Amino acid sequence: MKKVGFLIGNLNKSGGTERVTTLIVNELARQHYEVCVLNLNDGSEPFFDLHDTVRTYSLYSKSISFKKNYIGAIWKIRKFVKRQNIDTLIIVDSISCLFTVPALYGLKVNHICWEHFNFKNNNGVKLREIGRQWAAKYCDYIVTLTKRDKELWEQGLKLKNINAQIVPIANPSPYENNKHVPSLDFKVLLSVGRLTHVKGFDILLDAWAQVCEFNSDWQLRIVGGGEEEANLKEQVSRLGISERVDFVPATKNIEHYYKTSSFYCLSSRFEGLPMVLLEAQAFGLPIIAFDCDTGPSEIVDHDINGWLVPSQDIESLRDTILQSISISNDNYASLVKNSHLKSSMFMIDKIVLRWKKII
């Protein structure tokens, strides 16, 4: 069986990237692959539980300047790959290809870049664009989360500059065969994620403030932490909706919040393939999501298991929320049933089968 390595920033973090990496790592380990994870820094206390056979390592024990330690990081990655006899190295985030392309030079290692952002979004880091160019030219495979993002790569880099094979593989649902049936009685609109600008919680709060002008008994619950937390809480206070918004820190017990909500809302400016939508859908929650690039349209079938809203349109988001919280029990039950049906398309055994073909 081949030995598979994953290179990731820091598994201690609680984001969707760390969540889905753990899911794939664990499933490969369950299927008797020898799997290890190399963290660029720390990773000593993974936020999500790992399979007993998965070994974790750290390139550096704490955060450092990779600009100052660029050559050293390349050398350490190369030594690690050779020492561990890795057959396939999967790079979680294209920016890290700036290290792995030179590190793997001349080695017979299957080199896979796993992109978690959509191609239009460099997440504020220009170097990620260079990492993508290197990945396209020097990696064996690039894994995108959606077919749409594969198209964006091909259009953005032009086919003549792409030597890697681009393969779209969706994220798996972390909850399988989930029988939970949500209820309108909870009267909770849930949103989960890192409190960052790209996730658009500021837009959601503006829309929610308008919802509160027409409705007096529903609650918005936001679960997560991040650099925008203070600004978002100040915004809630300024809008005068403190009694209608519940902030919950990032938690390993996220299932509790899916089980006690009626709808899920995603207000991101950009996405890859949102893990939170797969999670919410697995619990049967109907979804309200901005139709941003990329991902929501591959999970949400408009008016069937939720609603797609024009991206960053506050008024449309307000109207869709008001429409959703006033639907009949029968219509709600239909949405819930369709959410469960859609969730079955993202079972991990189907997703890992695609991974095994390129590993």
Side-chain angles (χ1 to χ4, degrees), residues 92-116:
V92 185
D93 190 348
S94 54
I95 194 171
S96 293
C97 290
L98 293 172
F99 302 109
T100 58
V101 165
L104 298 187
Y105 180 79
L107 301 182
K108 292 183 178 180
V109 176
N110 185 19
H111 194 184
I112 301 176
C113 171
W114 186 10
E115 181 64 278
H116 289 266

Side-chain angles (χ1 to χ4, degrees), residues 109-308:
V109 176
N110 185 19
H111 194 184
I112 301 176
C113 171
W114 186 10
E115 181 64 278
H116 289 266
F117 301 101
N118 85 65
F119 188 80
K120 289 183 177 179
N121 177 27
N122 64 16
N123 211 34
V125 183
K126 292 288 288 183
L127 283 173
R128 183 169 280 109
E129 296 172 14
I130 300 173
R132 288 168 175 165
Q133 292 169 9
W134 286 20
K137 190 168 184 178
Y138 298 107
C139 285
D140 296 289
Y141 296 94
I142 293 168
V143 173
T144 63
L145 301 182
T146 64
K147 293 177 182 176
R148 168 64 177 154
D149 204 35
K150 176 186 177 182
E151 294 171 359
L152 292 177
W153 272 78
E154 291 170 346
Q155 293 164 8
L157 293 177
K158 300 189 173 42
L159 286 173
K160 64 180 180 181
N161 296 321
I162 300 177
N163 295 323
Q165 184 176 338
I166 303 179
V167 182
I169 304 178
N171 287 336
S173 171
Y175 304 104
E176 299 199 358
N177 303 313
N178 193 331
K179 305 301 182 185
H180 175 73
V181 178
S183 169
L184 283 169
D185 294 339
F186 290 120
K187 296 187 176 183
V188 171
L189 181 72
L190 177 67
S191 196
V192 179
R194 291 273 308 157
L195 304 185
T196 62
H197 177 75
V198 74
K199 296 300 182 182
F201 289 108
D202 56 320
I203 304 174
L204 175 56
L205 290 174
D206 282 339
W208 185 249
Q210 295 182 29
V211 168
C212 291
E213 295 175 8
F214 298 91
N215 172 274
S216 60
D217 57 353
W218 277 68
Q219 193 79 1
L220 171 63
R221 181 167 293 143
I222 297 174
V223 181
E227 58 265 29
E228 286 294 309
E229 182 171 349
N231 290 338
L232 293 171
K233 288 181 175 178
E234 192 278 329
Q235 181 182 357
V236 164
S237 178
R238 186 176 70 252
L239 291 169
I241 53 173
S242 298
E243 307 253 322
R244 305 291 300 280
V245 180
D246 181 21
F247 284 98
V248 178
T251 174
K252 290 186 178 182
N253 188 29
I254 192 62
E255 294 94 337
H256 167 74
Y257 296 100
Y258 288 123
K259 288 179 177 178
T260 53
S261 300
S262 303
F263 293 96
Y264 188 89
C265 187
L266 181 132
S267 54
S268 296
R269 291 175 166 89
F270 296 100
E271 277 293 349
L273 184 73
M275 279 299 294
V276 287
L277 294 192
L278 296 176
E279 293 175 357
Q281 187 171 250
F283 284 90
L285 289 176
I287 294 165
I288 303 162
F290 277 149
D291 191 13
C292 61
D293 273 335
T294 59
S297 63
E298 300 201 17
I299 298 172
V300 180
D301 296 320
H302 185 71
D303 233 11
I304 296 175
N305 64 337
W307 299 272
L308 293 169

Side-chain angles (χ1 to χ4, degrees), residues 2 38 73 80 84 100 109 145 172 181 196 317 354:
K2 292 181 177 179
L38 176 61
F80 176 84
Q84 297 296 328
T100 58
V109 176
L145 301 182
V181 178
T196 62
L317 182 58
R354 301 204 66 196

